[in-house]
Amino acid sequence: MTESPMTAKFANPYGYFSDDGREYVITTPHTPRPWGNIISNGDYGMMVSQTGSGYSWRGNAGQNRITRAFQDLVRDNWGKYFYIRDLETGAFWSATYKPVMAPYERYTVVHGLGYSRFIHQVQGIESVLTVFVAPEDPVELFHLTLTNRSARPRRLDVTSYLEWLLGFAPDEHREFHKLFIETAADVGRHALLARKCLWGFPDEHGRHNNVDWPYTAFMAASVPLKSFDGDKESFLGLYQTDDRPRAMSQPQLAGRIGRFGDAIAALQVEVYLAPGEARTVVFTLGAAEDGREDAAALIERYTSPEAAAQTLEAVHRFWARFVDTERVETPDDALNFMTNYWAKYQAISCRLWGKSAFYQVSAGYGFRDQLQDSQIFLVSEPAYTRRQLLLHAGQQFVEGDVLHWWFSIRGGGPRTNCSDDLLWLPFILDAYLKETADYSILDEPVPYLNGPAAPLYDHCKRAIERSFSRFSPRGIPLMGDHDWNDGLSAVGTLLKGESFWVAEFLYTILGSFIPLAQRRGDGRFARKCEEVRISLKEAMNRFGWDGAWFLQATTDDGLPLGSHQNDEGKIFLMPNIWAVISGIADDDRSQAAMAAVTEHLLKDYGPLLNYPAFTRPRRDIGYVTRYAPGLRENGGVYTHAATWAVWAYVLIGRPDLAYEAYRRICPPNRSADIETYKAEPYVTAGNSDGPQSPFYGRGGWTWYTGSAQWLHRVATHWILGVRPQEDGLLVDPAIPADWPGFKITRRFRGATYVIEVENPNRVGRGVANVTVDGRPHAGNLLPVFADGAVHQVKVILG
Ligand code: GLC
């Protein structure tokens, strides 16, 4: 834990990065929004804010919530809390700022990879509460050390408090749900248990609400209990609130358990401290699945100071595995911190595993979402990307289309006419193959939702064929229910409107699928793809060009969208940057389209998704027009898409603008205007408000956003320019001209490449000279060593 403000990086009035960027230190509970941490081991997860509020889940934050919370960013007032009480004076406060909000002598919160630590001092008692999740088990740990910093002996008690939810969230009809919950005490193990005999899933006959919740939830303490309570009414007191619970005016807790209360877990333990003395109490919280795990065994394994200390070490090792296999060292610490730690952590802990954050709780996988996110594993654990590809392939119908999203616990979700979802399968497959050359994945059999198993290759082919079957008479892919931009939800529902962006996306995919089809001996399909590719290019340039930039779409009524003819939504980012990324545009149009992006969209906080924003609902365009102007997909900076602008600027030979676009969306940089930005500076925001919002520049929807993975990818692949290819690792940087150079160490197909790039002539691009292990190397494609060894690469730009 780094606390010295001398080494504070990106300091603002609320916090700063530790010197190495691996931790973010918050120095006040009064951040301009909840600044949180989403901690997950891929199964059990929790969210916690700088006030100590948050909630826990098992398997899925929406379908299997363990503790209650309602989304309220202003009050941020649901949590798993610990009261600390001075038994002599009766004064009480909490280990975190919430719920008591007592005047404090010190308050520091450290968010790290897989843990958060709250250092709080009130009335001479210092508390250090570290919360984390066991890497291998559905158990959350609270390691609480109290130190008496006063001159007198202190008799204290510590009381936990949380509300059980146990199932689908939110459980708004509380009087109904509480009928099914039962609490019990296991005094010998210092624990309270809770079960629920109903879950929100239909039974095997499709009937509702007659299914067990097959878990035992528990909360336990490492020392004997002074008292306990399982009932909210006796704990809080009728009409009381959690900042002044009735329990804090009683000598001990009421001990109510059973089936007739409003279920909570309150455990009370006593702690006596001589002056200067410190003691640790560990609390554990978890949910053991019937038939697979035993609550008592989990309690015994984890509920001690020694076990908790070992588990925290295991947490550090766990995250090192995912973040430390690749390391960049550049003159830009914002890029370093996000690339090395936070973007990876955000993408894995929150997006792929937690699927939950303050701004959105998701109950499922988005077909395109977690597939894109899974690219974050490519350097560290490509087997995880592989698994994600196969998982998503299993959500496809034999007709080639896919579920737009599906519930992650029991499956099932909407079948739609979305036009791009299905194409992300071959797109991410290509990224996987470039990294691993593991062509065996193509033969991996995966069942369709409505058909027998077929090799992954066939799944991708069917996705592409399905796309081919949905073209307009002019040869442009139909928009269908929407494309990547979900908010274009009424443009093409009659299957007439067109998406020019899908034309480009498909063009990109065909470029990589044609060689794959040839390699499989599927020459007929390769030729078909070639024909379509040629006609797409022709049609796109004929019908998609608006004169100075590319159109986004045409509606079912044949009206253009993203055209100079529109008064709102005149220009969209996506078709212009992907015209370049896909290579569908020639050089002149690429330059022109990007000049239009720079002129109309690249604003103070990054490239806007479209401009001007829609100010009136349009029944023929969709819900994007119903958002307040300047917000999210309606004229905001939509960070996910904004990252692709970085890629496009590199491709048109403008590393200066690429870096500028990157710098403006890279969150640590927003520490400089944090009162405007408001959001966490250590994770990406889904969006920041565009110029038509009165809160221009405000960040929102942090953590649960696909932008994290892409921010990482555009930095490493396109700015630093280190990109896996089928036959080697390409080094083709496009860095700011004034950088002296940079270093990147990464694994590639079983070997480690230590790549040092020098920029002596301050050109920023163009590789003049390469040596590998001290020997000259022709060209900038590094060989595949696959030998488990470390290789030193020196690159001179010029
Ligand atoms: C949301 C969706 C994502 C979509 C994006 C743009 O982030 O999860 O799939 O592409 O919005 O509308």
Side-chain angles (χ1 to χ4, degrees):
M1 183 181 61
T2 308
E3 284 197 72
S4 157
M6 298 298 293
T7 59
K9 295 273 177 70
F10 301 99
N12 62 56
Y14 309 101
Y16 55 89
F17 283 91
S18 65
D19 197 32
D20 64 359
R22 216 174 167 106
E23 291 185 326
Y24 194 82
V25 182
I26 300 171
T27 50
T28 166
H30 302 287
T31 53
R33 284 285 179 279
W35 284 9
N37 196 357
I38 314 295
I39 300 175
S40 172
N41 65 9
D43 175 21
Y44 190 95
M46 57 165 288
M47 168 178 114
V48 67
S49 80
Q50 88 293 348
T51 70
S53 302
Y55 59 85
S56 306
W57 61 88
R58 168 104 199 245
N60 188 291
Q63 296 171 290
N64 198 17
R65 184 78 66 82
I66 306 300
T67 70
R68 298 187 90 203
F70 290 96
Q71 187 183 45
D72 188 333
L73 268 82
V74 174
R75 288 194 286 184
D76 187 26
N77 64 337
W78 286 86
K80 299 153 288 173
Y81 296 131
F82 296 90
Y83 297 88
I84 300 169
R85 175 164 66 161
D86 185 321
L87 293 170
E88 251 121 60
T89 63
F92 65 91
W93 57 96
S94 37
T96 53
Y97 184 63
K98 289 272 179 164
V100 180
M101 300 180 283
Y104 54 84
E105 287 138 32
R106 177 178 177 203
Y107 194 72
T108 305
V109 182
V110 180
H111 289 314
L113 312 181
Y115 62 94
S116 287
R117 181 170 296 129
F118 298 81
I119 304 147
H120 197 188
Q121 185 169 315
V122 180
Q123 302 196 8
I125 298 295
E126 180 197 83
S127 58
V128 179
L129 173 68
T130 309
V131 299
F132 48 100
V133 173
E136 306 291 342
D137 280 310
V139 179
E140 171 176 352
L141 292 94
F142 304 86
H143 182 280
L144 175 65
T145 299
L146 299 176
T147 306
N148 182 356
R149 302 269 178 221
S150 72
R152 61 190 169 92
R154 305 288 287 270
R155 281 182 53 227
L156 308 168
D157 62 16
V158 175
T159 308
S160 74
Y161 173 69
L162 60 80
E163 291 193 33
W164 296 120
L165 187 149
L166 315 183
F168 271 79
D171 60 340
E172 266 151 357
H173 194 163
R174 186 69 178 149
E175 281 303 303
F176 177 70
H177 285 278
K178 76 185 207 188
L179 298 171
F180 308 98
I181 296 182
E182 179 166 15
T183 58
D186 180 345
V187 176
R189 291 194 178 82
H190 326 145
L192 284 183
L193 308 173
R195 291 186 58 90
K196 187 174 185 185
C197 58
L198 171 132
W199 205 356
F201 286 108
D203 67 13
E204 59 281 12
H205 305 293
R207 294 176 302 217
H208 200 55
N209 275 356
N210 192 23
V211 174
D212 291 336
W213 184 73
Y215 303 87
T216 300
F218 59 87
M219 185 168 213
S222 59
V223 295
L225 303 182
K226 168 182 162 186
S227 63
F228 59 82
D229 202 357
D231 181 38
K232 183 174 179 179
E233 184 174 335
S234 51
F235 185 90
L236 284 188
L238 202 56
Y239 310 122
Q240 302 299 301
T241 49
D242 57 10
D243 58 334
R244 297 282 175 276
R246 176 180 169 275
M248 286 294 108
S249 64
Q250 305 294 313
Q252 59 178 43
L253 303 179
R256 287 203 207 169
I257 46 174
R259 290 204 62 172
F260 302 93
D262 221 326
I264 64 161
L267 310 181
Q268 193 165 63
V269 302
E270 283 189 334
V271 180
Y272 300 123
L273 294 173
E277 194 184 3
R279 277 185 194 277
T280 296
V281 184
V282 171
F283 293 86
T284 51
L285 168 67
E289 189 174 348
D290 292 350
R292 276 183 58 195
E293 296 134 353
D294 176 30
L298 291 174
I299 291 170
E300 282 165 20
R301 189 170 323 144
Y302 287 102
T303 320
S304 72
E306 301 72 40
Q310 283 167 12
T311 306
L312 186 56
E313 285 307 310
V315 167
H316 297 322
R317 288 195 300 275
F318 180 75
W319 282 105
R321 186 173 137 211
F322 295 106
V323 304
D324 290 340
T325 35
E326 173 210 66
R327 181 175 174 76
V328 305
E329 293 160 70
T330 79
D332 179 352
D333 267 339
L335 186 151
N336 298 340
F337 294 173
M338 289 309 295
T339 306
N340 288 333
Y341 311 119
W342 291 94
K344 292 174 190 164
Y345 177 65
Q346 178 183 357
I348 297 171
S349 194
C350 176
R351 279 282 296 192
L352 281 147
W353 292 349
K355 294 186 280 301
S356 182
F358 294 88
Y359 299 79
Q360 185 189 354
V361 175
S362 157
Y365 288 114
F367 192 90
R368 52 164 112 82
D369 297 79
Q370 276 75 22
L371 253 188
Q372 292 171 70
D373 297 334
S374 76
Q375 295 180 104
I376 202 72
F377 290 125
L378 284 173
V379 179
S380 59
E381 293 282 355
Y384 284 59
T385 316
R386 187 182 213 271
R387 212 161 63 197
Q388 201 77 30
L389 276 159
L390 300 176
L391 180 76
H392 288 239
Q395 303 302 319
Q396 188 182 33
F397 297 92
V398 279
E399 294 80 8
D401 60 328
V402 301
L403 292 182
H404 185 50
W405 57 262
W406 69 96
F407 285 115
S408 63
I409 291 190
R410 288 214 189 165
R415 187 174 188 179
T416 72
N417 278 327
C418 166
S419 48
D420 72 309
D421 277 342
L422 66 183
L423 291 173
W424 287 96
L425 192 64
F427 184 82
I428 302 300
L429 171 71
D430 178 56
Y432 174 76
L433 291 176
K434 290 225 162 70
E435 182 76 40
T436 62
D438 167 26
Y439 290 93
S440 75
I441 194 176
L442 297 173
D443 296 313
E444 210 50 74
V446 184
Y448 293 99
L449 284 170
N450 56 349
L456 182 68
Y457 175 81
D458 292 14
H459 282 263
C460 293
K461 185 172 165 181
R462 275 179 198 250
I464 293 169
E465 283 173 332
R466 169 74 166 196
S467 216
F468 287 175
S469 74
R470 299 217 154 173
F471 275 34
S472 72
R474 307 198 296 178
I476 300 293
L478 298 177
M479 172 67 82
D481 287 342
H482 51 80
D483 63 12
W484 171 89
N485 187 335
D486 285 343
L488 298 176
S489 56
V491 167
T493 46
L494 300 179
L495 297 181
K496 289 186 193 153
E498 302 160 313
S499 168
F500 293 106
W501 174 75
V502 173
E504 299 166 341
F505 189 47
L506 182 57
Y507 187 84
T508 315
I509 288 158
L510 295 179
S512 62
F513 206 79
I514 290 166
L516 208 61
Q518 281 158 348
R519 188 187 180 105
R520 297 250 337 159
D522 196 355
R524 247 182 94 199
F525 190 60
R527 278 191 297 281
K528 170 78 187 158
C529 291
E530 262 160 20
E531 277 164 30
V532 176
R533 201 160 186 263
I534 291 163
S535 87
L536 269 175
K537 182 170 186 155
E538 212 264 316
M540 179 73 199
N541 281 290
R542 187 144 159 232
F543 304 114
W545 182 247
D546 188 55
W549 57 76
F550 285 99
L551 297 168
Q552 166 77 33
T554 57
T555 67
D556 283 331
D557 296 330
L559 300 175
L561 188 61
S563 161
H564 70 283
Q565 298 170 40
N566 299 118
D567 58 345
E568 297 184 338
K570 268 181 191 300
I571 173 167
F572 279 69
L573 182 66
M574 288 286 279
N576 291 297
I577 56 181
W578 279 85
V580 177
I581 293 169
S582 63
I584 209 167
D586 62 19
D587 197 44
D588 286 352
R589 282 196 176 171
S590 293
Q591 294 291 345
M594 291 308 290
V597 165
T598 308
E599 184 186 342
H600 301 288
L601 299 175
L602 182 61
K603 304 282 186 209
D604 310 68
Y605 307 108
L608 307 174
L609 194 61
N610 62 324
Y611 192 79
F614 298 95
T615 58
R616 295 176 302 276
R618 288 268 306 262
R619 292 186 77 87
D620 59 340
I621 295 179
Y623 73 75
V624 67
T625 63
R626 296 168 190 272
Y627 282 139
L631 267 58
R632 292 184 62 75
E633 287 104 319
N634 188 18
V637 174
Y638 204 80
T639 319
H640 186 155
T643 63
W644 292 325
V646 176
W647 182 356
Y649 276 128
V650 170
L651 289 175
I652 59 153
R654 293 298 303 267
D656 53 332
L657 288 173
Y659 183 68
E660 198 46 39
Y662 177 86
R663 200 185 58 73
R664 293 182 196 186
I665 57 174
C666 189
N669 296 325
R670 299 301 307 275
S671 304
D673 63 347
I674 199 70
E675 304 300 350
T676 301
Y677 187 58
K678 297 183 189 296
E680 295 101 322
Y682 47 91
V683 287
T684 58
N687 58 282
S688 62
D689 289 23
Q692 283 160 277
S693 158
F695 300 100
Y696 180 36
R698 177 180 63 177
W701 211 293
T702 59
W703 282 97
Y704 195 69
T705 149
S707 58
Q709 181 279 135
W710 279 110
L711 191 80
H712 169 270
R713 200 168 172 86
V714 298
T716 51
H717 283 214
W718 297 102
I719 295 178
L720 305 185
V722 177
R723 295 192 290 279
Q725 308 290 302
E726 186 185 351
D727 43 3
L729 189 60
L730 189 72
V731 184
D732 185 18
I735 57 173
D738 61 356
W739 280 12
F742 69 90
K743 183 173 170 187
I744 176 168
T745 307
R746 64 110 81 191
R747 208 187 274 163
F748 177 60
R749 301 201 200 150
T752 298
Y753 294 65
V754 182
I755 304 168
E756 281 183 76
V757 177
E758 286 174 28
N759 183 27
N761 302 321
R762 300 295 190 265
V763 288
R765 55 196 290 249
V767 170
N769 188 279
V770 179
T771 61
V772 178
D773 295 325
R775 283 185 294 280
H777 178 82
N780 58 347
L781 185 67
L782 307 177
V784 179
F785 291 110
D787 57 0
V790 178
H791 297 276
Q792 306 290 337
V793 180
K794 293 227 184 309
V795 176
I796 314 268
L797 303 183

